[in-house]
Amino acid sequence: MSRNKRFFAMPLLMAMLATVLLLTGGCGRNDKEQSSSYIIYYKNSTGTSLYEVAYIPAAETFDEMVTELMEQLATTPADATYVSALPSTVTYQGYERGIDALRIDFSGEYYDMSNTTEVLLRAAVVKTIIQIPGVTKVIITVDSEQLTDVNGELIAAMDAESFIDTKDGGINSYQTASLVLYFPNQDGSMLQKEVRSVDYSSNMVLERVVVEQLMAGSEYSDRKAVFSSGTEILDISTKNGICTLNFSAEFNTRPAENAPSAEAALYAIINSICETADDVNGVKFTIEGSGNVLFWDEIDLNSVFIMNQNIIETEALQTETEDGEAAEATDSAKDAETSDEDTGDTADAVSSDLAGVDSSDQAVDDDAASAETDDSEAAAAEDSSGNQVLAGAN
């Protein structure tokens, strides 16, 4: 191609590019914001579960997107089969972009909601807003103060995974659970403890929630995975205190990178379930329905496993013990202090009573002395009167 033709082709190419940018609205607008539909989460008409409705927003900027989606959440849908998850008594007061999460603020009436209504609203807000590019976590605030639970504990930043739903049954209601999870430590030989608060559908068994959270992995980068990718839960059931887990064949494959010991991986599951689920005392494993399997070619699964404290890192156990002892010591000190106060109060009361007795005795003595004086004066008066009579007789 000649030089003149190349120069002619360049303006043509630029013109074509400009036309494409004009038609697509430019590069500044995210493809997801322009063409892809979002999901707005409403409640069903009975207010017991969430309902998904596809929605294509018109917003072009981040601020416009948050405002538009929150407006949609608060709008009463035309379809009577579902309603807004936001009660009319609760007011959306705006948002703030934080360092770690997007903060959504509501009015103080938020705390007047029932547990089911509150959790469904929280889930609807988080699941809707988390779809916006750049939003990874959402924090709920009430009158600019971070939301707390019934025990006064702060509810941490949430994402879509904070709300665990069944695939087919929807959400009848949410339950909140504090899960005790164990993950293999950095060298894969011992277990380290994590406590994770989750909201899960009431038609899910707690044992499944525990296993799914273990599958999701640790919140710390230095702890190892328990499951290999592709592992599926085929069935979970609990009877007479024994939880039976049935996994797909992938469960018997070591995680590809830096796998922990077979013992640590197995007891991460056992300890997590036994400590979290109060009605579980032991765990039995099957793979594709069979228990006659060597887990990672090392551990015979054909038995019931119970919790193993010895594989938990000593520092973690020692910290828990020290915390417990410290708490007991504090309680004992408080009891002793209360006892001392009570003893002091009792002593003061006794002293007061004795003082009262002494005062009473003194009053009695004074009365007696007064009576004696009166008697003496009366006697003296009688003697004087008598003497006078006698003298007159004489």
Side-chain angles (χ1 to χ4, degrees):
M1 180 183 292
S2 67
R3 182 177 181 182
N4 289 337
K5 288 183 177 180
R6 286 198 299 271
F7 276 109
F8 176 79
M10 184 62 70
L12 179 61
L13 179 61
M14 294 299 293
M16 293 174 62
L17 179 59
T19 301
V20 171
L21 291 176
L22 180 62
L23 292 174
T24 59
C27 297
R29 187 172 180 180
N30 188 287
D31 291 340
K32 184 175 182 179
E33 293 179 4
Q34 179 197 355
S35 58
S36 298
S37 65
Y38 281 60
I39 298 295
I40 305 295
Y41 288 85
Y42 298 101
K43 291 193 303 185
N44 63 352
S45 58
T46 58
T48 57
S49 64
L50 291 182
Y51 193 99
E52 299 179 358
V53 177
Y55 175 77
I56 299 178
E60 296 186 4
T61 67
F62 183 89
D63 291 342
E64 291 174 350
M65 183 66 72
V66 175
T67 300
E68 184 173 347
L69 294 185
M70 287 303 300
E71 287 177 350
Q72 288 300 312
L73 278 170
T75 300
T76 300
D79 190 337
T81 58
Y82 49 90
V83 298
S84 172
L86 179 64
S88 59
T89 56
V90 180
T91 304
Y92 164 61
Q93 301 185 146
Y95 76 94
E96 178 184 1
R97 297 185 74 171
I99 298 175
D100 55 344
L102 186 74
R103 296 172 179 266
I104 303 292
D105 190 54
F106 292 101
S107 62
E109 290 79 10
Y110 187 100
Y111 284 116
D112 295 334
M113 292 185 291
S114 67
N115 180 66
T116 299
T117 301
E118 187 276 325
V119 179
L120 287 176
L121 171 59
R122 185 150 42 96
V125 170
V126 172
K127 288 187 169 189
T128 298
I129 298 300
I130 205 72
Q131 300 171 83
I132 301 175
V135 178
T136 58
K137 296 280 186 179
V138 174
I139 290 177
I140 301 296
T141 61
V142 178
D143 287 335
S144 301
E145 297 291 334
Q146 189 167 344
L147 180 65
T148 58
D149 60 19
V150 292
N151 298 316
E153 299 293 330
L154 295 177
I155 294 180
M158 298 161 284
D159 57 21
E161 300 303 318
S162 300
F163 303 92
I164 305 168
D165 310 329
T166 54
K167 302 297 182 183
D168 51 0
I171 305 168
N172 293 328
S173 63
Y174 272 117
Q175 299 181 73
T176 301
S178 181
L179 309 182
V180 179
L181 306 177
Y182 288 95
F183 291 93
N185 62 3
Q186 192 167 18
D187 64 18
S189 62
M190 301 288 285
L191 299 180
Q192 292 181 321
K193 178 180 179 179
E194 290 181 26
V195 177
R196 186 176 302 176
S197 180
V198 299
D199 297 296
Y200 67 99
S201 175
S202 62
N203 51 1
M204 294 181 67
V205 295
L206 184 58
E207 294 89 315
R208 175 180 284 272
V209 176
V210 171
V211 175
E212 288 184 352
Q213 289 297 297
L214 288 173
M215 286 180 165
S218 172
E219 296 176 351
Y220 302 91
S221 59
D222 62 342
R223 299 181 185 177
K224 296 185 179 297
V226 176
F227 296 89
S228 61
S229 60
T231 302
E232 296 181 4
I233 303 171
L234 301 182
D235 186 47
I236 294 181
S237 61
T238 298
K239 184 177 181 181
N240 297 328
I242 305 300
C243 176
T244 301
L245 308 175
N246 185 23
F247 292 107
S248 62
E250 291 82 1
F251 176 63
N252 207 21
T253 302
R254 296 176 186 269
E257 298 179 1
N258 300 319
S261 69
E263 182 184 32
L266 206 61
Y267 277 101
I269 304 170
I270 298 163
N271 286 8
S272 297
I273 292 177
C274 287
E275 188 158 349
T276 299
D278 293 335
D279 58 342
V280 175
N281 301 315
V283 178
K284 183 174 177 58
F285 296 89
T286 60
I287 298 178
E288 301 286 350
S290 175
N292 296 318
V293 180
L294 280 180
F295 179 65
W296 292 3
D297 297 323
E298 294 183 30
I299 301 176
D300 186 1
L301 295 183
N302 195 20
S303 61
V304 175
F305 297 85
I306 62 173
M307 186 166 180
N308 182 1
Q309 295 279 358
N310 295 326
I311 200 171
I312 303 173
E313 282 195 345
T314 306
E315 291 183 2
L317 290 177
Q318 183 176 355
T319 301
E320 289 182 10
T321 302
E322 290 174 351
D323 290 343
E325 291 175 349
E328 290 179 3
T330 301
D331 291 340
S332 297
K334 289 181 179 178
D335 292 340
E337 185 178 348
T338 302
S339 177
D340 291 342
E341 292 176 355
D342 292 342
T343 302
D345 293 341
T346 303
D348 292 341
V350 171
S351 297
S352 299
D353 292 341
L354 291 176
V357 172
D358 291 341
S359 299
S360 177
D361 291 344
Q362 183 64 43
V364 171
D365 292 341
D366 291 343
D367 291 341
S370 177
E372 290 178 2
T373 302
D374 293 341
D375 291 342
S376 299
E377 291 176 350
E382 289 178 358
D383 288 345
S384 173
S385 175
N387 290 335
Q388 291 174 351
V389 170
L390 293 173
N394 292 333

